Amino acid sequence: MKITALAGGVGAARFLSGFVEAFPEAELTIIVNTGDDFDWLGLRICPDIDTVIYTLAGIADPAAGWGIRGDTFHCLRMLETLGHDAWFRMGDRDLASSLERTSRLRRGERLADITRDLARAHGVKATVLPVTDDPVPTMVHTTEGTLAFQDYFVRRRHEPRVTGITSLNVENARPAPGVLEALQEASGIVICPSNPIISIGPILAVPGIREALRSRTSPAAAVSPIIAGEAVKGPAATMMADLGMEASSLGVARMYSGLVDVFVMDARDGPLAEREPPAGMVFRTAQTLMDTVQSRTRLAKQVVEIMSWRS
């Protein structure tokens, strides 16, 4: 089995940890959102990439879902002593990935190659790829002005009302080496339970990604990050409502129209599953809340089984 996943954020990382537990022999390629990437104190930070790697390596902080379990924050506290507004909470061990990444980027190496090596160094068997090597920062337009993504999401705790999203320079970006091949050669494709606007949206905005999904010959499924109108984690439902979308699993499904064959929503959204799906898509239900290791593994198995209807 050769699976390619589109991923961003904690929900995706948890789903993927269940997948590798359920299918340890599968060939898994993970295409990760880079719209969240930014420069902080001279370092290149790639939050979604690091969250996926740390989670699959079994070292992620289980409470936060990001960062490294048991990390210390001595460097951050010293920065505060020196007068810095250390609003981005990065631990001492977590800094190592960004130091290594930044050093190699300054030597002219590609983000895709660096990401592969970081994953391997942590013992991750899956191939982890940034969607693009090109900077495509997500900008969040709000009622309080336009904010860089991390300013909106972390510094402002996603409080301002969202009026629009822009991926800067995305029209000139190219998929990273191996990304299109992974979509074309997969025996199945999964869009993980991630925020469809700020995690999956920036991936789909890179030229060539939507086209590859539309022209694929393998089955594709998407898993809703929303249960009973609420996001499991993060501001997905609020952002959808702010942008005039239906803040529900059905609203997410409409965003993936033409890209997947089957859309998986939680069993608690059963009434929505009885409504008319977008053309070319069918609805299926499963237990999508991933609050234990067992539930993550169960969901991964269910998604693969659900996809098999089209194989």
Side-chain angles (χ1 to χ4, degrees), residues 1 15-26 293 296-302 304:
M1 182 166 55
F15 172 80
L16 292 166
S17 70
F19 181 89
V20 298
E21 181 71 23
F23 304 103
E25 302 304 317
V293 172
R296 300 175 194 181
T297 304
R298 181 181 64 241
L299 178 59
K301 290 179 178 178
Q302 288 176 312
V304 169

Side-chain angles (χ1 to χ4, degrees), residues 180-294:
L180 293 182
E181 292 83 354
L183 291 169
Q184 293 161 354
E185 298 170 6
S187 58
I189 297 170
V190 179
I191 298 180
C192 293
S194 305
N195 186 314
I197 299 170
I198 54 175
S199 292
I200 301 300
I203 297 176
L204 299 177
V206 174
I209 302 298
R210 283 185 178 273
E211 293 80 358
L213 286 170
R214 290 190 181 111
S215 63
R216 64 189 159 71
T217 56
S218 58
V223 183
S224 178
I226 292 180
I227 299 175
E230 298 290 338
V232 176
K233 188 176 180 65
T238 301
M239 294 182 78
M240 292 177 73
D242 285 350
L243 293 171
M245 304 175 185
E246 180 178 332
S248 70
S249 288
L250 184 58
V252 179
R254 289 172 179 150
M255 297 180 69
Y256 299 149
S257 178
L259 304 180
V260 300
D261 307 297
V262 58
F263 185 83
V264 182
M265 60 181 72
D266 192 79
R268 280 167 281 184
D269 283 324
L272 292 179
E274 296 175 2
R275 292 171 63 177
E276 186 69 23
M281 184 188 293
V282 299
F283 290 153
R284 295 288 186 269
T285 59
Q287 300 294 331
T288 64
L289 183 62
M290 297 177 290
D291 53 354
T292 65
V293 172
Q294 293 77 14

Side-chain angles (χ1 to χ4, degrees), residues 50-185:
D50 289 344
T51 293
V52 167
I53 290 174
Y54 296 159
T55 302
L56 294 188
I59 62 172
D61 183 325
W66 49 267
I68 295 176
R69 181 178 61 249
D71 211 347
T72 55
F73 294 87
H74 301 300
C75 181
L76 208 64
R77 284 195 286 272
M78 183 59 74
L79 284 168
E80 291 172 331
T81 299
L82 297 175
H84 286 275
D85 178 11
W87 57 272
F88 191 77
R89 307 298 294 176
M90 177 167 281
D92 300 322
R93 292 167 62 199
D94 197 1
L95 275 169
S97 295
S98 296
L99 286 165
E100 174 70 3
R101 179 186 298 115
T102 304
S103 175
R104 292 180 60 176
L105 285 171
R106 288 176 178 168
R107 295 200 299 266
E109 297 186 49
R110 298 184 305 196
L111 180 61
D113 295 331
I114 300 166
T115 301
R116 284 177 185 265
D117 290 347
L118 288 172
R120 288 178 184 142
H122 283 291
V124 175
K125 294 181 180 179
T127 299
V128 183
L129 291 173
V131 63
T132 179
D133 286 327
D134 303 309
V136 286
T138 296
M139 305 300 294
V140 184
H141 307 289
T142 78
T143 52
E144 300 179 23
T146 298
L147 302 172
F149 177 80
Q150 296 297 343
D151 282 333
Y152 161 77
F153 192 75
V154 180
R155 191 196 291 265
R156 297 298 310 278
R157 301 178 185 272
H158 44 79
E159 291 175 349
R161 183 175 176 274
V162 176
T163 59
I165 301 290
T166 302
S167 295
L168 293 184
N169 306 316
V170 73
E171 65 277 3
N172 298 316
R174 294 181 298 175
V179 166
L180 293 182
E181 292 83 354
L183 291 169
Q184 293 161 354
E185 298 170 6

